[in-house]
Amino acid sequence: MQRRYLSLAAAATATTMTLTLTGCGGGSGDGDVTLKLIAADYGDSEANSSQHYWDQLARAFEKKNPGIKVDVEVDSWTNVDKHVEDLVKEGKAPDLAQIGAYADYAAKGKLYSADQLLSIPVQADFTPSLAEAGEYHRVQYGMPFGASTRRLFYNKKLFAQAGITSPPKTWDDIAHDAALLKAHGVKMPYALPLGPEETQAETLMWMLSGGGSYTDTIGKYQINSPENIKTFNWLKDDLVGKGLTGSDPAKLNREDAFAGFADGDVGMLNGHPTLMKQAEAKGIDYGTVDLPGVKGPAKATMGVADWMMAFKQNGHRAEAGKFLDFVYSDKNVEKFSGDYGLLPVTTSASQTMMADDHYAKLHSFLKQLAGAEFYPADKTSWPLVSKTVKARMGAAVGPNGNPAGVLTDIQNTADTEDNSGE
């Protein structure tokens, strides 16, 4: 999603909320209610599963609100979106879902809007760029829950061994440094994960670094723009074609690239905050910098947010709103972000984190959040476009790849889906 700044729109929304929020989120309705929440798991083991976080939070909420029970089911990211989708199709929608996409449910009229749920101070506290990324047709249905931005990570030890004295700032620097790393025996000088796991993310990061994006300033797809074609031609010819990635990008997943960096086999790659813990656990001395661009740092970095949403089916608007006000309190937002190495989604929690030296390594990621660009998740066509990008972009930069042809095919797919679905 393109960046737009919403100070005026936010003021207008606040005025609208004042008129529509009377009684919203207050009280627990008549009698006892049990809210069903299905949430994604951010942990990497049973010991730090998100189930522990939600169970603790739900019990604390129930003590303060004896008329409302909260039943939380945590599922893996591999399954959770499909699990919710299946329940909705069966007519068994949960009251709340914390998953990866909201737009399709919003388009079908299945969700409460944020201003029907949250108190005015809570909704107004969302980081503006994240609040906007949660809009469908300029109404917020997706409430951000967990965010991150991307930076270039580099291995300081490998750089020093190759005689590289400063991290890259431009594409030419990346190619130059990768060549030196390759000459010094580094297995993957630049890890380029365009495998099926998260190709859509690596693709957007490179689009941004080349001055492009998935969409233009009014939200229309520009996948085969001249800037994007130039970017992927450069990757094909100047990075992959010269053997500077050390592996076939189409077969390299982000998880494996991160593991390679933590093992000391990768010189540099694009990463998010959780890579810091992974690298530190293996004793890797690393640094991070803004994503390099054609002539200097990229115009923006990629931002990612996951989404909380509330379904209308069970009619528990007031109870769900009361619980969400509790979920988004500063204390709970800060705890979740700290536990899982993510960025807070509210302005107040972000300010607290920026003022705390304990989170110093997250500060550079957090500073980027306000100007980050997000997936066009407000478009119901995005799931198909994302799936197509995952299937096609890796081969596009391979020996027999045709970036312009692949980008144009994806553009045609996006346009067709847009025209049929919106």
Side-chain angles (χ1 to χ4, degrees):
M1 177 174 226
Q2 73 281 3
R3 286 177 295 164
R4 286 176 279 141
Y5 297 95
L6 299 183
S7 56
L8 294 177
T13 301
T15 302
T16 303
M17 286 190 295
T18 302
L19 298 174
T20 61
L21 262 171
T22 305
C24 175
S28 59
D30 297 326
D32 289 349
V33 165
T34 297
L35 297 174
K36 177 67 176 183
L37 164 64
I38 296 177
D41 195 352
Y42 289 83
D44 55 15
S45 67
E46 172 58 32
N48 71 345
S49 168
S50 299
Q51 188 75 54
H52 303 300
Y53 171 83
W54 282 113
D55 286 346
Q56 184 179 35
L57 186 145
R59 301 298 82 80
F61 173 78
E62 289 170 353
K63 285 183 180 179
K64 294 184 176 182
N65 301 273
I68 309 174
K69 301 294 183 184
V70 183
D71 176 19
V72 184
E73 179 184 348
V74 171
D75 203 351
S76 72
W77 272 113
T78 305
N79 301 319
V80 69
D81 286 278
K82 183 66 163 59
H83 181 33
V84 172
E85 179 184 349
D86 290 343
L87 288 174
V88 172
K89 286 180 179 178
E90 293 167 9
K92 301 175 181 178
D95 296 288
L96 298 158
Q98 186 269 300
I99 53 177
Y102 67 87
D104 192 48
Y105 300 123
K108 294 176 181 176
K110 295 184 180 295
L111 301 179
Y112 291 116
S113 61
D115 59 6
Q116 292 176 308
L117 296 160
L118 302 172
S119 63
I120 291 174
V122 170
Q123 187 179 10
D125 197 27
F126 285 130
T127 300
S129 60
L130 295 175
E132 186 202 2
E135 293 178 359
Y136 176 74
H137 289 179
R138 297 193 179 275
V139 175
Q140 185 183 359
Y141 295 93
M143 291 159 279
F145 191 88
S148 65
T149 58
R150 301 297 191 266
R151 292 175 66 77
L152 179 80
F153 284 68
Y154 64 99
N155 183 312
K156 290 183 177 180
K157 179 180 178 181
L158 296 180
F159 268 51
Q161 290 174 345
I164 305 169
T165 58
S166 61
K169 295 180 179 179
T170 67
W171 288 0
D172 286 345
D173 292 342
I174 287 178
H176 175 265
D177 294 348
L180 290 175
L181 291 165
K182 179 181 179 181
H184 281 75
V186 175
K187 187 175 179 180
M188 283 191 277
Y190 189 99
L192 185 66
L194 291 174
E197 180 190 359
E198 206 180 46
T199 317
Q200 81 284 1
E202 191 73 17
T203 295
L204 178 54
M205 283 181 268
W206 279 98
M207 286 177 170
L208 292 170
S209 75
S213 187
Y214 281 119
T215 57
D216 62 18
T217 55
I218 60 171
K220 182 176 175 59
Y221 283 115
Q222 56 169 16
I223 295 167
N224 64 339
S225 69
E227 293 85 359
N228 291 341
I229 291 172
K230 178 182 176 182
T231 293
F232 287 92
N233 279 333
W234 184 87
L235 285 173
K236 177 181 182 296
D237 297 335
D238 291 74
L239 207 63
V240 181
K242 293 181 179 178
L244 300 179
T245 58
S247 66
D248 179 357
K251 297 178 180 178
L252 181 65
N253 282 327
R254 178 193 56 80
E255 183 179 355
D256 296 326
F258 278 21
F261 187 79
D263 288 338
D265 293 331
V266 173
M268 50 185 156
L269 79 170
N270 293 329
H272 52 67
T274 56
L275 180 55
M276 295 191 295
K277 286 186 178 181
Q278 197 171 342
E280 288 164 4
K282 293 288 191 76
I284 298 297
D285 186 14
Y286 66 89
T288 73
V289 293
D290 292 344
L291 301 184
V294 180
K295 300 296 184 182
K299 65 171 184 175
T301 190
M302 184 182 81
V304 173
D306 303 317
W307 304 104
M308 179 73 76
M309 61 210 70
F311 288 88
K312 294 179 178 178
Q313 181 177 319
N314 301 318
H316 296 153
R317 178 180 69 88
E319 295 84 0
K322 196 164 191 177
F323 178 62
L324 290 172
D325 273 356
F326 184 77
V327 168
Y328 286 106
S329 68
D330 283 354
K331 175 184 174 183
N332 290 325
V333 172
E334 290 164 19
K335 177 171 172 51
F336 180 80
S337 302
D339 285 354
Y340 295 103
L342 294 166
L343 303 180
V345 297
T346 63
T347 300
S348 56
S350 296
Q351 290 170 344
T352 299
M353 181 175 281
M354 283 298 295
D356 190 341
D357 289 341
H358 177 71
Y359 298 110
K361 290 185 177 180
L362 284 172
H363 289 174
S364 59
F365 292 90
L366 191 54
K367 289 176 182 176
Q368 298 177 140
L369 187 57
E373 294 202 20
F374 297 82
Y375 299 134
D378 60 325
K379 298 170 77 69
T380 57
S381 55
W382 172 242
L384 176 61
V385 173
S386 176
K387 180 180 179 180
T388 308
V389 169
K390 289 181 179 181
R392 301 290 305 275
M393 286 312 302
V397 299
N400 300 313
N402 177 6
V406 169
L407 290 168
T408 298
D409 286 347
I410 299 173
Q411 176 74 41
N412 292 337
T413 297
D415 288 342
T416 299
E417 184 71 3
D418 256 1
N419 293 333
S420 64
E422 294 189 31

